[in-house]
Amino acid sequence: MSTETQYKRFLKKAYKNLPKQVLTSERFEVPAPKSEMVGNRTFLYNFKEICDRIRRDQSNVLKFLFKELGTSGVIDGDYAVFKGQFNHEAIKTLLDGFISREVLCPVCNKPDTKVVREGRISFLVCEACGAKSSIRK
Ligand SMILES: [Zn+2]
């Protein structure tokens, strides 16, 4: 038996033993922030990539980060540039918080959501399960 056939057999067997849920829900992975402190600024090199992945406007995500970091800055192409020095962990923690609060559906935990504003209140509407949840601020 060729190695390839053996591998295929192995896969087939492995798939058979997986719970169905695993097969249907694709894992949601957000790229880890690539940041660097340069002088008195912090560059987040893959800012656009992260925003694209979580399907949120760069300006919204940036506004959130500015508020949490207590700073300002600019978008420069695919980068975000912050005034001040912020380590990788701080940025990652904030982004993780943003994603769990404003991207993942609290009902089914899927990222297929959009933010809908009604007056002064924002809701997270899930395209996967149809849940509408208020966003905790
Ligand atoms: Zn949902």
Side-chain angles (χ1 to χ4, degrees):
M1 201 192 302
S2 73
T3 315
E4 202 191 326
T5 313
Q6 275 181 337
Y7 181 65
K8 278 184 183 155
R9 281 196 180 191
F10 167 78
L11 275 188
K12 212 170 161 186
K13 209 176 152 203
Y15 273 123
K16 231 173 107 181
N17 293 330
L18 281 180
K20 222 177 177 160
Q21 190 64 30
V22 179
L23 291 175
T24 50
S25 70
E26 171 196 339
R27 218 175 114 74
F28 181 60
E29 283 182 49
V30 180
K34 291 179 194 141
S35 66
E36 190 185 12
M37 293 182 261
V38 179
N40 199 29
R41 284 170 202 276
T42 302
F43 288 77
L44 178 54
Y45 294 118
N46 58 346
F47 180 65
K48 183 179 182 295
E49 187 192 0
I50 292 169
C51 294
D52 287 350
R53 186 72 182 99
I54 63 176
R55 295 163 59 207
R56 290 296 180 269
D57 283 345
Q58 292 180 50
S59 57
N60 284 349
V61 180
L62 200 67
K63 220 166 85 184
F64 165 82
L65 288 172
F66 284 168
K67 196 173 144 231
E68 296 295 318
L69 295 169
T71 188
S72 62
V74 289
I75 292 175
D76 184 4
D78 292 354
Y79 303 177
V81 186
F82 304 96
K83 285 182 186 162
Q85 297 186 318
F86 304 100
N87 67 27
H88 182 83
E89 272 312 303
I91 293 170
K92 187 170 176 3
T93 303
L94 287 177
L95 282 171
D96 284 348
F98 181 85
I99 290 162
S100 72
R101 212 166 52 226
E102 301 201 24
V103 179
L104 295 177
C105 170
V107 176
C108 71
N109 217 32
K110 286 195 176 143
D112 314 312
T113 59
K114 59 183 178 191
V115 175
V116 176
R117 252 171 226 284
E118 287 179 16
R120 299 181 62 176
I121 306 166
S122 297
F123 292 94
L124 200 61
V125 176
C126 178
E127 288 162 359
C129 76
K132 182 176 169 186
S133 328
S134 57
I135 295 175
R136 291 164 287 134
K137 285 289 179 190

